[in-house]
Amino acid sequence: MSVTEPITKENREMENIPHTEKQWYAAIWRWHFYAGIIFAPFIILLAITGSIYLFKPQIESMLYKDLYYIPASKQKQISPSEQIDQVKKRYPDAKITRFTPSFQSNRTSEVGILRSGEMTTVFVNPYNGKIVGDLNDDKRLMNIIKNLHNGELWGGTFGNRMIELTACWAFILILTGMYLWWPRGRRFGQGTLFPRLRNGKRTLWRDLHAVPAFWLSGLILVLIFTGLPWSGVWGDMINRVATATHTGYPAFAFSFGPKPESTLPKKTKDVAPDVPWAAENLPVPTSSSQGRPLSLEKVIQIAESRNIHSGFTIYFPEGPKGVYTISNKPQRPEDQATLHLDQYSGKVLYDLRFNDYGPLAKAISIGIALHEGRYFGWINQLLGLITCVGLIGIAVMGLILWWKRRPQGKLGAPPRLHSFHLAKGLAVIVIALGLFFPLVGISLLLVWLLDRWIIQRIPFIQQWVG
């Protein structure tokens, strides 16, 4: 996504367009140009890492098959507590944090431990308690890909904000690109629905950028808005809206048990990092009973009696007031569940299901499943892959188009807008975008300051930029 054809005498389709619209075209083109040049590399990074992450189940099953799988057996499994005891013997200084029971006859159980400040998953044969192996969670390939995708691996919080900003500007690139793509003075067809193959290389490069972008625009928008709820600024804003309007987790939270004692209670994602989106900000209740904590077997029994979808994980209580948290993230969000149990009595303090979600949480949960390619199986993965590969092609074609058209020794930016009336109109658009996407507003302000106080004051830079 980068540039489109400039307004020149070669563009016959623009000859009969009113002057005001030509000015608008130039202004929109300048936005599209700069956003494309700046964010194309980040868009390519997102598309490459996203296309890999789509196939997480298949890739992990292949990479870690020696850890995940054991020979299927009809033998009776040993108790979860015995499996935990085997882990404690192998890792005596580690803290047990979670347990995922074996959910297939040929799958290992998984025990999460914290040792030396690092989270590790230990894989246990549920039939004899033998330790099959372990895996540092931060070194899992898909976790590395995920952290590349969200920017945290290469830039920490700054990288995460840059990725969010890229997603926001990708939305603007789609809107501005559609405006530039619109067939002025000619019929739909060549150059709009399919590329022109006989109008020269210059036109062909433009069409190979613009036409695929049109066909994929809907899928790209779906990817953008299903990914933004995870972002730091926009995602937190949406989460606050969902919580305040009870369109996330329902208003009757904690009507089944004691409320957290602290005025700033822990959020569920703090004690169970991999819970569904709708449960992330759900405050964690406290255990009020006293006595001996429940056995792991009893906790599993409660989960099964509540018809929790297989593959659930049990997170252990943190301290004497902590609770057991049971959570799963199945293929379909309709099967999601998050439970908090009193660690002593086993009383269900909270049971959150998809049907309990507010409308916003339901929409976002379905969107996340679509974004990750798991909502309707391989078809979802294929559509995601086509979109990601298309995005890479669109971005690369845009950069090639810019490189071939740029004047020697100059950036080749479109002409600056000088119309006061159009400037006022653009100011309204900028304010609206800044309110909807806060990071976009900040970036536009920084660009304006850079242009006003640096670019316009240094003739060489001003001439190079355009």
Side-chain angles (χ1 to χ4, degrees), residues 367-385:
I368 288 173
L370 287 169
H371 191 89
E372 293 183 333
R374 57 183 170 84
Y375 190 55
F376 45 91
W378 68 267
I379 296 177
N380 194 165
Q381 290 177 313
L382 181 60
L383 286 174
L385 180 62

Side-chain angles (χ1 to χ4, degrees), residues 17-265:
I17 303 300
H19 178 69
T20 301
E21 186 172 345
K22 289 183 179 180
Q23 288 185 310
W24 269 107
Y25 188 98
I28 297 299
W29 179 37
R30 189 175 175 89
W31 275 34
H32 193 78
F33 174 88
Y34 279 119
I37 292 295
I38 294 170
F39 292 106
F42 295 102
I43 289 172
I44 292 172
L45 172 65
L46 279 171
I48 292 174
T49 54
S51 61
I52 296 172
Y53 197 81
L54 283 168
F55 297 92
K56 175 183 177 180
Q58 293 91 335
I59 293 173
E60 287 198 329
S61 291
M62 180 180 63
L63 287 178
Y64 309 126
K65 61 181 180 180
D66 293 337
L67 297 174
Y68 283 2
Y69 299 105
I70 53 175
S73 174
K74 295 182 179 180
Q75 178 184 348
K76 184 179 179 181
Q77 296 184 0
I78 66 175
S79 69
S81 294
E82 290 177 288
Q83 296 178 47
I84 295 290
D85 288 340
Q86 294 300 315
V87 174
K88 288 180 178 179
K89 289 179 182 178
R90 175 71 69 88
Y91 309 92
D93 298 327
K95 175 184 177 183
I96 306 295
T97 61
R98 69 181 191 276
F99 178 75
T100 303
S102 170
F103 52 90
Q104 293 176 0
S105 61
N106 66 337
R107 282 295 297 258
T108 54
S109 300
E110 299 181 16
V111 181
I113 64 173
L114 177 65
R115 58 171 180 165
S116 302
E118 295 183 339
M119 294 300 302
T120 300
T121 299
V122 181
F123 299 87
V124 183
N125 186 321
Y127 299 106
N128 55 25
K130 180 181 177 181
I131 305 298
V132 177
D134 61 40
L135 186 61
N136 186 307
D137 291 353
D138 289 336
K139 294 181 180 178
R140 286 177 183 253
L141 176 63
M142 285 300 116
N143 283 350
I144 294 172
I145 295 296
K146 181 180 179 180
N147 289 330
L148 276 171
H149 189 73
N150 63 29
E152 292 182 359
L153 184 63
W154 52 267
T157 300
F158 172 78
N160 182 261
R161 299 299 182 267
M162 280 300 300
I163 291 299
E164 178 179 351
L165 187 60
T166 299
C168 296
W169 272 104
F171 169 72
I172 298 171
L173 279 166
I174 290 292
L175 294 187
T176 55
M178 291 293 288
Y179 178 86
L180 299 173
W181 161 89
W182 188 261
R184 296 166 181 81
R186 57 182 166 84
R187 297 178 180 179
F188 278 90
Q190 290 190 346
T192 52
L193 302 182
F194 48 90
R196 291 165 285 187
L197 303 178
R198 299 181 180 179
N199 288 32
K201 291 183 178 180
R202 179 169 177 162
T203 300
L204 179 61
W205 285 117
R206 178 266 183 195
D207 287 357
L208 289 177
H209 170 70
V211 173
F214 160 71
W215 285 111
L216 292 174
S217 58
L219 290 173
I220 294 171
L221 290 176
V222 169
L223 275 186
I224 291 170
F225 283 102
T226 55
L228 277 173
W230 290 323
S231 62
V233 177
W234 202 83
D236 183 65
M237 183 174 68
I238 290 298
N239 230 321
R240 289 175 184 272
V241 170
T243 300
T245 59
H246 302 303
T247 53
Y249 60 81
F252 54 79
F254 307 112
S255 59
F256 305 113
K259 297 179 174 58
E261 296 177 348
S262 172
T263 56
L264 292 174

